């Protein structure tokens, strides 16, 4: 928890043994291989497929595969890793938003954009800044093969951008290799990583070696106060 507060991420080595990994990889590969067979883009030029939208139709033929994935991302072990990460004022219960399977591209190598997930669909940086200051959203990911593609700017989850960072992630050169203080997160097969989705991060995508990383995104909610109105009001 201290590492998460200070740097915005932590790695849990050997989270899953070889047998568990092989089972989970078989399950996720069902979705990836079917998705690739059905599309010329999704699963080929994309960084990831959504296991709950793109892949779910494919998983319907193999309910055991969907169960295996759901069992992990809803497991007490994963929830225990997320416990205590919410901001003050947020509920401690993580809410699952989506589950993705990150894969290698099949046609060309490319570099991803530096971003905070909070900027996606958010045109106004000042609105985004308020979201970053008051809410928490986290990725839990599990490498099923060695994966060193992700880079994060440690500590960026807990503060707003420097002028250089803002110029890069909202400017014209979002794929630059020159992001100050970026750190590479190297996972070995079986390692898990939790990182704050509002951290400044990106990945670079290579056709080889194969990338097989399961990633689930969770958010924490603020308790809502329901206001009842009197009949006729
Ligand atoms: O690991 C990756 O490919 C990058 C992940 C990412 O940028 C994201 O999920 O927002």
């Amino acid at each position: 928890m201290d590492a998460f507060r200070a740097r915005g991420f932590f790695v849990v080595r050997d989270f899953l043994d070889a047998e568990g990994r092989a089972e989970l990889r078989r399950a996720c590969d069902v979705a990836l291989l079917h998705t690739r067979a059905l599309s010329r883009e999704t699963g080929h030029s994309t960084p990831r497929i959504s296991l709950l939208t793109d892949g779910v139709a494919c998983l319907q033929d193999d309910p055991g595969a969907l169960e295996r994935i759901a069992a992990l991302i809803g497991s007490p072990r994963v929830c225990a890793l997320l416990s205590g990460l919410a901001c003050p004022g947020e509920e401690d219960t993580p809410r699952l938003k989506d589950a993705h399977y990150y894969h290698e591209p099949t046609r060309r190598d490319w570099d991803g954009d530096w971003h905070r997930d909070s900027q996606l669909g958010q045109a106004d940086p000042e609105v985004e800044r308020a979201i970053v200051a008051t809410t928490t959203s986290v990725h839990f990911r599990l490498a099923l093969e060695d994966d060193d593609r992700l880079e994060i700017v440690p500590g960026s989850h807990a503060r707003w951008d420097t002028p250089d960072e803002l110029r890069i992630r909202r400017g014209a050169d979002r794929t630059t290799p020159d992001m100050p203080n970026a750190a590479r997160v190297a996972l070995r097969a079986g390692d898990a990583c939790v990182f704050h989705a509002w951290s400044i991060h990106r990945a670079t995508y290579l056709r080889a070696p194969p990338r097989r990383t399961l990633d689930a995104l969770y958010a924490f909610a603020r308790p809502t106060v329901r206001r009842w109105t009197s009949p006729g009001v």
Side-chain angles (χ1 to χ4, degrees):
M1 214 184 285
D2 287 345
F4 183 81
R5 297 253 176 269
R7 296 189 299 157
F9 68 96
F10 58 90
V11 172
V12 183
R13 298 284 174 207
D14 299 321
F15 184 81
L16 198 64
D17 64 16
E19 194 185 335
R21 225 156 57 222
E23 264 190 21
L24 204 56
R25 177 164 176 181
R26 259 195 307 278
C28 294
D29 279 354
V30 169
L32 179 61
L33 298 180
H34 281 239
T35 304
R36 281 181 171 169
L38 291 174
S39 172
R40 292 176 56 79
E41 293 305 329
T42 313
H44 296 281
S45 56
T46 49
R48 63 187 192 183
I49 59 164
S50 166
L51 291 165
L52 305 183
T53 55
D54 303 322
V56 80
C58 307
L59 289 171
Q60 271 165 9
D61 295 340
D62 191 340
L66 186 54
E67 267 175 35
R68 225 161 265 132
I69 296 164
L72 178 87
I73 61 184
S75 66
R77 278 187 82 204
V78 171
C79 291
L81 288 183
L82 307 183
S83 175
L85 303 186
C87 282
E90 287 179 319
E91 289 171 351
D92 195 42
T93 308
R95 298 180 181 205
L96 179 67
K97 293 298 186 185
D98 208 340
H100 291 104
Y101 196 32
Y102 283 83
H103 57 80
E104 75 287 356
T106 60
R107 298 200 196 99
R108 65 177 184 94
D109 301 343
W110 54 281
D111 295 340
D113 287 356
W114 290 102
H115 64 282
R116 300 179 189 262
D117 287 4
S118 48
Q119 81 188 67
L120 305 175
Q122 189 50 260
D124 182 343
E126 285 311 310
V127 176
E128 190 208 345
R129 186 173 187 156
I131 292 170
V132 168
T134 55
T135 64
T136 312
S137 179
V138 294
H139 290 268
F140 161 83
R141 56 176 43 191
L142 180 59
L144 304 176
E145 295 290 335
D146 293 354
D147 181 354
D148 66 355
R149 297 294 84 217
L150 178 68
E151 294 170 87
I152 296 182
V153 178
S156 55
H157 68 296
R159 58 166 178 76
W160 190 236
D161 300 55
T162 65
D164 277 348
E165 289 168 348
L166 199 59
R167 182 179 45 75
I168 292 172
R169 78 174 174 94
R170 281 193 174 264
D173 190 14
R174 299 179 185 199
T175 61
T176 176
D178 299 327
M179 174 61 84
N181 304 315
R184 190 169 287 283
V185 181
L187 302 179
R188 292 189 296 269
D191 292 349
C193 171
V194 173
F195 71 96
H196 202 309
W198 304 164
S199 302
I200 299 175
H201 64 279
R202 68 98 168 247
T204 44
Y205 300 96
L206 302 175
R207 281 163 291 176
R211 188 177 194 214
R212 294 288 186 277
T213 295
L214 174 61
D215 181 295
L217 181 66
Y218 305 83
F220 298 91
R222 294 193 168 269
T224 46
V225 178
R226 186 176 289 238
R227 292 185 200 289
W228 298 103
T229 52
S230 312
V233 174

